[in-house]
Amino acid sequence: VIVACEPPRAISAQNVLAATITEIRPSTGICLLLAKLADDIPTLSIELTPNTLERLDLAEGKTVHLIFKATGIVVYGGEGTPTNANTKTPTSVTAST
């Protein structure tokens, strides 16, 4: 997932969603950014480096634009193993920005 502070222009990715940052869980390694698309959609969790949080000046309440490829998304929650959103097969994820 790529996080942008402004709506992207002229890019090949077709999956761009506006979201509001609801929480940031800082860490010395990977930080967790929680973002909400809408009230009836589960919160998204995005791993970012502390450098990215600082460089983009990310804060709770800020609107961001999430850019992603469907094959890079893993759905967690409910029962069973995390699955790739595109192929519906079990997978593991390494995400960074």
Side-chain angles (χ1 to χ4, degrees), residues 71-76 81-84 89-95:
T71 56
I73 299 301
V74 174
V75 178
Y76 291 93
T81 304
T83 55
N84 178 289
T89 57
T91 188
S92 62
V93 162
T94 303

Side-chain angles (χ1 to χ4, degrees), residues 14-70:
Q14 296 180 30
N15 299 304
V16 179
L17 301 172
T20 302
I21 299 172
T22 58
E23 184 179 349
I24 295 174
R25 297 182 186 165
S27 175
T28 55
I30 296 295
C31 299
L32 195 62
L33 181 141
L34 304 179
K36 196 80 170 149
L37 299 171
D39 289 339
D40 59 340
I41 297 175
T43 299
L44 301 175
S45 300
I46 302 152
E47 293 179 342
L48 299 171
T49 63
N51 181 306
T52 298
L53 288 176
E54 184 178 331
R55 190 169 37 87
L56 296 179
D57 194 27
L58 299 176
E60 291 180 16
K62 186 171 185 174
T63 297
V64 291
H65 303 273
L66 308 176
I67 306 161
F68 61 93
K69 290 207 161 271

